[in-house]
Amino acid sequence: GTVAVVMPIGPLKIGYQKKGYQNIHSGVSLTEANKNFYKDDILGIAYAVNEDFAISYNVIESVKHAHNAGTALEQETKAINFAYTVGGITLAFQDAKTDNAAYSAGTSDDTRTISVKTAF
C-alpha cells in the first residue's frame, strides 16, 4: 500500500510518501518472500528555478523487517538532482549516497548519474 501527498507552493513542491510492501519476485518461493516486509518513508523537495532548470532533493528511508530473524535494518538514500531542458532534450545529473546499501549494515554506495533524454 502507498499513500502520497504533494504540496505545491509556487515553483516549489514538497512531497511525502509512505509505503509498505513485500518484494515478491520470480525465483523466490512465496513462503520465503513472506519472511521480509519493507516500510518506506520518502521525502522530496523540488524547485523550478525557471521553465528550463529544476533542482530537487530526496531522502528515502527504507526499513527491511526480516520476520524469520525478528530483525529490522534501515537503508537510507539521499540524492540531489539537477535537470535542464532545451526543446525536446533534457540533460540531468544525480548525486546519490546510500547508507546500509542492499540492507547490509555498514555498507555504503555513492553514485553519480548523467542522463540525456529526448522527446519527439
Side-chain angles (χ1 to χ4, degrees):
T2 299
V3 175
V5 175
V6 176
M7 183 173 62
I9 306 169
L12 182 70
K13 289 185 182 179
I14 301 171
Y16 176 77
Q17 180 179 6
K18 178 111 179 140
K19 64 182 178 176
Y21 61 97
Q22 288 179 304
N23 191 10
I24 300 173
H25 53 83
S26 63
V28 176
S29 69
L30 185 58
T31 56
E32 200 57 36
N34 286 336
K35 294 180 182 176
N36 297 324
F37 185 78
Y38 300 83
K39 292 181 183 176
D40 297 351
D41 290 299
I42 304 166
L43 177 64
I45 300 172
Y47 182 72
V49 177
N50 56 41
E51 290 181 7
D52 302 325
F53 185 64
I55 301 170
S56 66
Y57 182 76
N58 306 330
V59 177
I60 303 168
E61 294 178 350
S62 179
V63 179
K64 176 183 178 182
H65 299 272
H67 292 293
N68 60 338
T71 61
L73 183 63
E74 180 179 309
Q75 171 181 277
E76 182 181 68
T77 301
K78 294 178 180 178
I80 188 161
N81 306 279
F82 302 94
Y84 183 72
T85 302
V86 177
I89 297 177
T90 300
L91 306 171
F93 174 78
Q94 179 185 65
D95 185 20
K97 178 175 177 30
T98 302
D99 293 323
N100 295 331
Y103 301 98
S104 181
T107 62
S108 64
D109 182 25
D110 295 333
T111 60
R112 283 163 200 84
T113 305
I114 296 173
S115 67
V116 178
K117 300 175 187 173
T118 61
F120 51 92

